[in-house]
């Protein structure tokens, strides 16, 4: 029987996503419960108490659908089932129910740009040129003498995983397009049947009680209908720049950021908004994997009031600055506040596709302190925050050292220049026992546990009130309980300071909060001059070491110190 429309949706259920703390889980690497060396759904369920204690509102899991695992789940062979590596549909339902008991929502990864070549749609599609599924994918003739000659690929487009994005199919004598791996053929979004299929898939998961979706690779859904070559990017010497795969770097403008995606997201949003259920009340949030050239493009991903698209397209502008540069952070945070049309930003600094924070922001000496600085920006600012499993304990990027150990196809194709993404996908470090508590002793985990697990692990950090884990927990609590931080707007302060980033968060009816973060290894003192008389501050959270400030006029910060205080009336 279809669900009846929900009678009431409380404001907190409706608005939960607006200051949500979202935790990204890479299921293979989180917790193995059955001794096969691969993490699974029951493992995640076992760890829900930890996530509740940490204070997260939602978990986003990278894909758990049946898959040949050529791209570890991003090659989906069936969108409405669970891969046996991860468990069963009953395990999934139990995870959703157990998470709900702890006020945690489960967000699914929705991979619409491509399926696996082993998906029944593609198996049909490649079976003959007249198959009804032929037009579900992107097929083109080669550039040969005749239409059925292999010749050269249709154009110079390249795969994100290296080399030509076109694969010759001998049986039907055409090329198929794959923006990603060869086993990930692109779906044809000009075909209305593809739209309908994904609306059904979204509905399928909504009925199982998911809290929303993260739309994978959404900027590459469409290709330019001209199918013309992309332009090579020239280096300083006037010759094409060569990328890590040894191919000429292309501008990507015929295969990315095409505008058709807006209409698709309007449709998906309308489907998600139309769904209502007494059993699973509240907003289903649509999150976008939106690496975009600038903030104007990001602003468009929200759609309009009449035709909304994403609730939370990821703001990769702030999080992927990739250097501890105060002026750039200040400018990007101002953009998020002022140039997103009043929409809610989703800050994110880390994920399964990029080296972890230590490799992008650390200096090898103060990495933990730098991570406190980064996490203060992530949580002590308006909007929603997304972080990656293991960031809260300071897990380090640990890439493979030998090509024969590489699991990620990106690393296998790109070795040695491009080592792939295994380094940021290693097993979660729970404790100092063998296999770091990720899997039972004696089991061989699918990726090796980094040696750092003996000191960097949840158990050790739980026992230490000054640990990074304790810091994350305090920041998250602050975000969830202090309306100035969680819901208020922010204004940059002391804007010429090149060493310390300071801002003020304000919401109606509550005391304003100031945040200062020192991006240098030297102690700093800041003087925050604000109009009015409220210059005394009360500390909400600070890194140890620096003295308690009495006024806004003199806030002392240790190396990479953070200060968060409430301005007193
Ligand atoms: C996204 C995913 C990445 C995957 C790719 C292809 O960028 O985050 O892991 O390889 O899409 O699906």
């Amino acid at each position: 029987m279809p669900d009846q429309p929900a009678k009431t949706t409380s404001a907190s259920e409706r608005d939960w996503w607006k200051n949500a703390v979202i935790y990204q889980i890479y299921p293979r690497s989180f917790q193995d419960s059955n001794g096969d060396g691969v993490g699974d759904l029951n493992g995640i369920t076992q760890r829900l108490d930890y996530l509740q204690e940490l204070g997260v509102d939602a978990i986003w899991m990278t894909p758990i659908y049946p898959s040949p695992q050529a791209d570890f789940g991003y090659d989906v062979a069936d969108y409405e089932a669970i891969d046996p590596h991860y468990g069963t549909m009953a395990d999934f339902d139990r995870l959703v129910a157990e998470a709900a008991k702890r006020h945690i929502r489960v967000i699914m990864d929705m991979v619409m740009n491509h399926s696996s070549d082993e998906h029944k749609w593609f198996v049909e599609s490649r079976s003959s040129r007249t198959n009804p599924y032929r037009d579900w994918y992107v097929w083109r003739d080669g550039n040969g003498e005749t239409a059925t000659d292999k010749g050269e690929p249709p154009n110079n487009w390249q795969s994100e995983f290296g080399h030509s994005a076109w694969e010759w199919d001998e049986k039907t004598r055409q090329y198929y397009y794959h923006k990603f791996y060869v086993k990930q053929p692109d779906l044809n979004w000009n075909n209305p049947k593809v739209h309908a299929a994904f609306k059904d898939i979204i509905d399928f998961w909504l009925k199982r009680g998911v809290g929303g979706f993260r739309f994978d690779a959404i900027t590459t859904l469409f290709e330019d209908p001209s199918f013309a070559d992309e332009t090579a990017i020239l280096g300083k010497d006037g010759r094409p720049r060569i990328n890590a795969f040894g191919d000429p770097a292309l501008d990507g403008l015929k295969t990315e950021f095409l505008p058709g995606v807006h209409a698709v997201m309007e449709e998906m949003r309308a489907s998600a908004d139309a769904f209502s259920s007494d059993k699973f009340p509240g907003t289903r949030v649509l999150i976008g994997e939106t690496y975009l050239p600038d903030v104007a493009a990001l602003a468009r991903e929200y759609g309009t009031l009449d035709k909304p698209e994403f609730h939370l397209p990821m703001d990769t502008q702030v999080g992927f600055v990739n250097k501890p540069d105060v002026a750039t952070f200040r400018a990007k945070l101002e953009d998020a506040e002022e140039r997103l049309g009043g929409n809610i930003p989703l800050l994110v600094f880390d994920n399964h596709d990029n080296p972890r924070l230590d490799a992008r922001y650390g200096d090898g000496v103060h990495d933990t302190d730098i991570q406190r600085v980064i996490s203060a920006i992530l949580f002590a600012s308006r909007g929603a925050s997304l972080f990656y499993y293991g960031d809260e304990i300071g897990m380090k990027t640990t890439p493979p050292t030998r090509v024969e150990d590489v699991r990620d196809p990106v690393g296998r194709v790109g070795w040695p220049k491009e080592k792939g993404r295994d380094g940021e996908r290693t097993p979660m470090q729970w404790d100092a026992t063998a296999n770091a508590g990720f899997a039972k002793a004696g089991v061989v985990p699918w990726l090796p546990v980094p040696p750092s697990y003996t000191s960097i692990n949840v158990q050790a950090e739980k026992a230490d009130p000054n640990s990074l884990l304790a810091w994350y927990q305090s920041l998250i609590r602050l975000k969830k309980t202090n309306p100035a931080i969680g819901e208020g707007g922010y204004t940059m302060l002391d804007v010429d300071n090149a060493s310390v980033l300071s801002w003020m968060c304000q919401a109606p009816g509550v005391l304003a909060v100031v945040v200062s973060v020192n991006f240098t290894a030297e102690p700093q003192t800041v003087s925050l001059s604000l109009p009015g008389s409220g210059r005394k501050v009360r500390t909400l959270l600070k890194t140890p070491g620096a003295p308690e400030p009495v006024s806004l006029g003199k806030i002392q910060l240790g190396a990479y110190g953070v200060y968060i205080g409430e301005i007193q009336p």
Side-chain angles (χ1 to χ4, degrees):
M1 210 183 77
D3 286 303
Q4 296 300 310
K7 284 175 211 72
T8 52
T9 303
S10 72
S12 65
E13 280 160 355
R14 202 178 50 239
D15 292 342
W16 72 271
W17 56 277
K18 293 186 173 169
N19 68 346
V21 173
I22 306 170
Y23 187 88
Q24 181 192 347
I25 292 181
Y26 198 71
R28 293 184 77 81
S29 299
F30 199 58
Q31 178 67 61
D32 173 20
S33 75
N34 64 355
D36 64 358
V38 173
D40 45 51
L41 296 177
N42 288 339
I44 298 173
T45 306
Q46 279 171 24
R47 296 296 186 177
L48 285 171
D49 287 338
Y50 166 74
L51 296 172
Q52 185 182 23
E53 223 175 291
L54 191 55
V56 312
D57 297 300
I59 54 176
W60 148 40
M61 297 184 293
T62 57
I64 52 171
Y65 317 105
S67 160
Q69 304 288 331
D71 188 19
F72 300 110
Y74 282 99
D75 47 325
V76 181
D78 177 354
Y79 289 87
E80 296 183 355
I82 303 291
D83 191 295
H85 282 104
Y86 300 127
T88 63
M89 197 56 92
D91 297 335
F92 176 80
D93 290 341
R94 198 163 65 87
L95 167 60
V96 171
E98 288 297 317
K101 283 186 198 158
R102 294 165 179 82
H103 309 286
I104 296 174
R105 292 164 206 254
V106 174
I107 294 175
M108 300 295 276
D109 215 308
M110 194 43 63
V111 189
M112 305 202 301
N113 179 71
H114 47 265
S115 71
S116 163
D117 63 343
E118 296 182 33
H119 193 292
K120 62 175 191 269
W121 301 335
F122 190 73
V123 173
E124 292 283 336
S125 185
R126 79 185 325 177
S127 68
S128 87
R129 288 199 184 200
T130 52
N131 186 280
Y133 285 91
R134 185 66 172 181
D135 195 32
W136 283 49
Y137 292 85
V138 182
W139 291 98
R140 306 289 289 179
D141 292 339
N143 275 330
E145 307 249 304
T146 71
T148 53
D149 273 359
K150 183 172 179 189
E152 292 295 314
N155 60 32
N156 73 347
W157 296 355
Q158 285 171 13
S159 159
E160 295 284 319
F161 286 28
H163 316 320
S164 175
W166 295 99
E167 181 71 6
W168 176 249
D169 185 68
E170 191 55 45
K171 181 160 186 221
T172 55
R173 303 199 66 77
Q174 273 190 316
Y175 284 87
Y176 71 83
Y177 173 65
H178 58 94
K179 176 72 177 168
F180 294 89
Y181 197 46
V182 62
K183 285 181 68 61
Q184 294 168 305
D186 270 49
L187 283 151
N188 173 15
W189 279 89
N190 294 310
N191 182 343
K193 293 196 176 120
V194 171
H195 294 228
F198 275 94
K199 280 201 248 171
D200 285 351
I201 290 163
I202 283 176
D203 223 47
F204 174 90
W205 292 105
L206 288 173
K207 286 185 182 139
R208 303 206 91 90
V210 305
F213 301 92
R214 171 264 191 190
F215 288 83
D216 181 62
I218 198 70
T219 59
T220 62
L221 222 52
F222 285 86
E223 295 75 45
D224 192 291
S226 73
F227 283 85
D229 278 354
E230 290 187 329
T231 307
I233 302 172
L234 302 184
K236 285 201 187 91
D237 58 2
R239 282 196 289 197
R241 256 200 352 235
I242 300 299
N243 67 20
F245 299 104
D247 304 318
L250 302 179
D251 65 359
L253 294 181
K254 300 276 188 301
T255 55
E256 269 189 272
F257 316 128
L258 284 134
V261 68
H262 294 292
V264 172
M265 286 317 302
E266 271 170 32
E267 274 177 54
M268 300 301 155
R269 173 70 178 264
S271 280
D273 284 353
F275 180 82
S276 74
S277 142
D278 274 343
K279 196 168 159 211
F280 306 115
T283 300
R284 277 86 190 160
V285 69
L286 304 194
I287 298 173
E289 189 200 16
T290 39
Y291 293 98
L292 293 164
D294 52 39
V295 65
L298 177 61
R300 282 197 289 279
E301 300 292 335
Y302 291 91
T304 60
L305 265 186
D306 292 350
K307 291 183 174 171
E309 298 175 32
F310 289 107
H311 297 84
L312 297 173
M314 291 180 197
D315 185 338
T316 57
Q317 305 289 316
V318 177
F320 293 86
V321 167
N322 292 347
K323 51 182 184 212
D325 174 348
V326 173
T328 309
F329 275 122
R330 188 176 289 131
K332 301 272 183 189
L333 284 167
E334 271 182 340
D335 282 352
E337 181 63 13
E338 288 162 18
R339 299 178 62 195
L340 295 181
N343 286 298
I344 306 286
L346 171 60
L347 295 194
V348 49
F349 282 83
D350 204 1
N351 60 37
H352 63 294
D353 293 327
N354 292 282
R356 282 184 178 271
L357 295 173
D358 63 308
R360 290 182 296 119
Y361 291 102
D363 64 359
V365 180
H366 304 93
D367 288 2
T368 310
D369 305 312
I370 293 172
Q371 211 150 321
R372 286 179 215 272
V373 165
I374 297 287
S375 51
I377 300 177
L378 177 64
F379 296 114
S381 56
R382 183 173 80 97
S385 318
L386 169 60
F387 67 110
Y388 186 47
Y389 82 94
D391 281 351
E392 73 276 24
I393 53 172
M395 272 175 61
K396 293 186 183 304
T397 322
T398 317
T401 52
R402 309 180 313 170
V403 65
E404 53 271 38
D405 298 332
V406 177
R407 303 293 308 267
D408 180 15
V410 170
R412 288 206 312 269
V413 179
W415 192 272
K417 265 200 172 159
E418 169 58 72
K419 295 193 168 58
R421 300 165 293 181
D422 294 347
E424 54 264 24
R425 298 174 174 182
T426 56
M428 177 68 177
Q429 296 169 198
W430 295 103
D431 58 39
T433 64
N435 281 334
F438 162 73
K440 280 193 256 54
V443 168
V444 181
W446 81 283
L447 281 178
V449 174
S452 62
Y453 81 97
T454 51
S455 56
I456 299 179
N457 66 62
V458 170
Q459 198 180 40
E461 296 195 27
K462 265 191 171 177
D464 174 4
N466 289 323
S467 66
L468 187 61
L469 179 60
W471 174 256
Y472 263 68
Q473 210 162 351
S474 305
L475 271 174
I476 293 171
R477 199 175 308 127
L478 209 49
K479 180 173 192 77
K480 301 308 295 181
T481 55
N482 186 297
I485 296 176
E487 295 150 35
Y490 53 79
T491 317
M492 293 292 142
L493 303 174
D494 194 21
V495 294
D496 295 322
N497 195 324
S499 307
V500 180
L501 182 67
S502 299
W503 65 95
M504 176 171 64
C505 307
Q506 282 171 294
V510 295
L511 297 177
V513 169
V514 288
V515 185
S516 287
V517 298
N518 176 5
F519 271 88
T520 71
E522 285 80 50
Q524 303 283 344
T525 302
V526 287
S527 174
L528 303 176
S529 48
L530 286 167
S533 55
R535 289 174 58 87
K536 279 201 182 323
V537 278
R538 183 177 74 86
T539 301
L540 297 174
L541 185 65
K542 69 182 188 63
T543 42
E548 201 63 52
V550 282
S551 85
L552 281 172
K554 191 178 177 195
I555 295 176
Q556 287 168 281
L557 299 159
Y560 297 102
V562 176
Y563 179 78
I564 304 178
E566 203 170 49
I567 307 179
Q568 298 303 293

